[in-house]
C-alpha cells in the first residue's frame, strides 16, 4: 500500500472509534514477524483507498503555519533545505502537494497542516529570483486532532526533526486531544506507549543540559533516558550543570571560530564522566597585557585544563604571551606531583 493511501485514510477525519487491542491468541498464530511498515499499515486499515483530490496553486504568503505541527519553522534555513530547493527548481514546483485547510475567520485564507519545508523553500524562492513560483496544495476539511495525526504521519518519514521537537509536539497533543492519557494517544498514532513516553520525557531535560548540545538535533531520546534518572540526585545535578556550562561555553567558542562543534555522543560522554570524577571544577580568568580578562581556564576533576578565549583585538602573539603563565603554572604543578 502506498504512502498516499495512508495519508488519505488520515484525511478522512471520521470520529475516532475505540481501538480494540489485538487478540493475543490471534497475534500468536499470525505467521511471520510484524515489521514497521506493517504496523504503519494497520494504523489506517488495510482497505484504505487512494483518493485523488484536485490541487490548487497558491502563494506561501497566503498560508499561516498551523502551530500543532512538530517542526519548528524558525529553525529552517537555506543550508538545511538546499536539496529540497534544488529539487523544486528542477521540477518546476513541489511534486508532493502540501495540505492546507481554509480559515474563514483567520488573518490569511489558508492554514498549512503539512508541507512546512516545502512552504519555506518556495517562500525563499519567491524572495530570491523566482517570484512566480507557487505552492501546490490540497485543501482538506480537518479538525485539529485529524490534522495532528496527518502531520505526524508525514513527520515520521523525516529525519530532520529532532527528538525534542517531537517530544514537545506530543506533550502538547496528549493533553489537548487525548485527555492527558498517553495510552489513548499511542493507540491512535499506532506507536508503542514506551516510545511515546520516551519522547515526552525528553521535554523534562533542563535548559542547562540542552544548551550543552550544539543543536536540538543532537539531543536524542536515548540520552534523556540516561540523564533524567541522574538528575534526581542533587549532587549529580550540580556536577552535570557545571560540566554542561563548560561544554556550552566551548560550543559557543567553536561557533564563533567557525570550528566543528562537539558532537552529541562526545557531549554525553563528557557529561557522564563528570559524575565519575571526584573533586571540584576550578576556574580562573586569563588576563591580557592590559590586565583585562580575555578568557577563562577551567581545571576539571581529572586535572585537565580547558582554555576558553573571548574574541578580542589582541594579536596572536599577545594572546600566546597571555597563555604562557597559565601553561607554565600547570607544568610546574605536574612536576611537583611527580
Amino acid at each position: 500500500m502506498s504512502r498516499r493511501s495512508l495519508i488519505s485514510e488520515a484525511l478522512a477525519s471520521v470520529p475516532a472509534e475505540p481501538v480494540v487491542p489485538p487478540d493475543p491468541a490471534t497475534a500468536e498464530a499470525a505467521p511471520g514477524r510484524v515489521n514497521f511498515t506493517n504496523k504503519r499499515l494497520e494504523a489506517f486499515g488495510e482497505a484504505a483507498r487512494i483518493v485523488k483530490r484536485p490541487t490548487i496553486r497558491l502563494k506561501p504568503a497566503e498560508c499561516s503555519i498551523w502551530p500543532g505541527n512538530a517542526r519548528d519553522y524558525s529553525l529552517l534555513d537555506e543550508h538545511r533545505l538546499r536539496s529540497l530547493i534544488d529539487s523544486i527548481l528542477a521540477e518546476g514546483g513541489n511534486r508532493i502537494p502540501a495540505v492546507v485547510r481554509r480559515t474563514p475567520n483567520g488573518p490569511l485564507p489558508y492554514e498549512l497542516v503539512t508541507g512546512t519545508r516545502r512552504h519555506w523553500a518556495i517562500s525563499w524562492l519567491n524572495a530570491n529570483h523566482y517570484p512566480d513560483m507557487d505552492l501546490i496544495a490540497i485543501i482538506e476539511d480537518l479538525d485539529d486532532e485529524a490534522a495532528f495525526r496527518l502531520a505526524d504521519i508525514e513527520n515520521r518519514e523525516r529525519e530532520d526533526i529532532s527528538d525534542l521537537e517531537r517530544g514537545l509536539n506530543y506533550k502538547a497533543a496528549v493533553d489537548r486531544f487525548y485527555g492527558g492519557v498517553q495510552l489513548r494517544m499511542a493507540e491512535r498514532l499506532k506507536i508503542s506507549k514506551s516510545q511515546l513516553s520516551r519522547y515526552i520525557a525528553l521535554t523534562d531535560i533542563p535548559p542547562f543540559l540542552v544548551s550543552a548540545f550544539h543543536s536540538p538535533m543532537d539531543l536524542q531520546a536515548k540520552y534523556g533516558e540516561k540523564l533524567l534518572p541522574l538528575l534526581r540526585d542533587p549532587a549529580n545535578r550540580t556536577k552535570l550543570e557545571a560540566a554542561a556550562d563548560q561544554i556550552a561555553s566551548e560550543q559557543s567558542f567553536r561557533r564563533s571560530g567557525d570550528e566543528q562543534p562537539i558532537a552529541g555522543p562526545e557531549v554525553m560522554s563528557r557529561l557522564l564522566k563528570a559524575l565519575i570524577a571526584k573533586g571540584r571544577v576550578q576556574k580562573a580568568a586569563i588576563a591580557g597585557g592590559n590586565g583585562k580578562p580575555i578568557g577563562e581556564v577551567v581545571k576539571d576533576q581529572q586535572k585537565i585544563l580547558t582554555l576558553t578565549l573571548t574574541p578580542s583585538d589582541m594579536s596572536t602573539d599577545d594572546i600566546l604571551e597571555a597563555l604562557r603563565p597559565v601553561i607554565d603554572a600547570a607544568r610546574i604543578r605536574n612536576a611537583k606531583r611527580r
Side-chain angles (χ1 to χ4, degrees):
M1 182 183 299
S2 70
R3 180 169 171 271
R4 185 179 179 87
S5 302
L6 301 179
I7 293 177
S8 298
E9 182 70 12
L11 290 175
S13 186
V14 294
E17 295 292 335
V19 177
V20 180
D23 185 348
T26 305
E28 290 176 7
R33 188 170 155 187
V34 179
N35 60 26
F36 175 76
T37 302
N38 288 335
K39 289 181 180 179
R40 293 288 304 281
L41 293 177
E42 290 172 6
F44 305 103
E46 295 182 14
R49 53 185 167 80
I50 297 177
V51 180
K52 294 183 178 179
R53 300 175 186 268
T55 59
I56 63 168
R57 305 179 79 92
L58 50 85
K59 292 298 181 187
E62 298 179 77
C63 302
S64 59
I65 307 298
W66 182 52
N69 196 298
R71 190 181 295 281
D72 188 340
Y73 197 87
S74 66
L75 295 179
L76 300 179
D77 56 34
E78 181 189 356
H79 174 74
R80 190 171 173 180
L81 299 185
R82 187 67 257 175
S83 62
L84 176 60
I85 291 170
D86 292 342
S87 174
I88 289 173
L89 275 176
E91 297 183 12
N94 53 299
R95 181 172 55 84
I96 300 175
V99 175
V100 301
R101 59 182 181 179
R102 297 187 189 277
T103 52
N105 301 319
L108 297 174
Y110 304 101
E111 186 174 54
L112 189 84
V113 176
T114 72
T116 312
R117 296 167 75 250
R118 281 156 274 170
H119 181 281
W120 194 99
I122 293 175
S123 294
W124 186 89
L125 286 167
N126 285 171
N128 291 272
H129 314 301
Y130 295 91
D132 296 329
M133 184 76 71
D134 291 329
L135 176 69
I136 300 171
I138 297 171
I139 302 175
E140 293 292 346
D141 183 15
L142 301 167
D143 62 24
D144 281 349
E145 195 269 345
F148 166 71
R149 286 189 292 118
L150 176 62
D152 182 63
I153 292 169
E154 178 160 285
N155 287 337
R156 273 189 262 173
E157 302 287 341
R158 309 294 185 189
E159 296 181 354
D160 64 337
I161 294 181
S162 70
D163 288 355
L164 184 58
E165 285 175 298
R166 294 185 197 276
L168 291 168
N169 185 238
Y170 285 162
K171 185 175 184 178
V174 72
D175 291 328
R176 185 176 181 186
F177 305 129
Y178 307 104
V181 181
Q182 290 189 22
L183 178 59
R184 184 184 303 168
M185 179 174 171
E187 288 173 342
R188 286 292 280 163
L189 299 183
K190 288 299 178 182
I191 62 176
S192 70
K193 184 177 182 296
S194 61
Q195 182 182 6
L196 178 62
S197 296
R198 282 196 294 271
Y199 281 126
I200 293 177
L202 191 61
T203 65
D204 292 330
I205 294 290
F208 69 79
L209 282 179
V210 177
S211 67
F213 292 86
H214 168 67
S215 161
M217 294 297 297
D218 292 343
L219 180 55
Q220 300 177 20
K222 64 182 180 181
Y223 297 160
E225 290 184 276
K226 292 182 179 179
L227 292 171
L228 285 170
L230 298 172
L231 288 167
R232 299 190 190 108
D233 184 335
N236 284 342
R237 190 182 182 93
T238 300
K239 291 178 182 178
L240 285 171
E241 186 166 6
D245 285 347
Q246 181 179 337
I247 296 169
S249 296
E250 191 172 338
Q251 295 278 34
S252 178
F253 179 73
R254 291 191 181 199
R255 276 192 291 269
S256 66
D258 200 24
E259 298 180 33
Q260 284 294 320
I262 306 170
E266 185 181 347
V267 171
M268 272 300 295
S269 176
R270 288 175 58 169
L271 289 173
L272 296 177
K273 282 181 180 178
L275 301 179
I276 299 171
K278 298 181 180 180
R280 295 182 178 181
V281 173
Q282 299 178 8
K283 299 181 179 181
I286 302 172
N290 56 6
K292 293 183 178 180
I294 63 167
E296 183 181 60
V297 57
V298 176
K299 183 176 73 174
D300 66 16
Q301 296 95 330
Q302 296 172 305
K303 311 300 182 185
I304 296 174
L305 297 182
T306 301
L307 305 177
T308 304
L309 298 178
T310 304
S312 68
D313 296 331
M314 291 177 64
S315 68
T316 302
D317 289 340
D318 289 340
I319 293 173
L320 291 175
E321 192 62 33
L323 292 177
R324 189 181 302 280
V326 175
I327 298 171
D328 286 344
R331 291 175 61 191
I332 291 170
R333 284 194 293 270
N334 287 333
K336 286 182 177 179
R337 281 197 292 272
R338 293 194 193 100

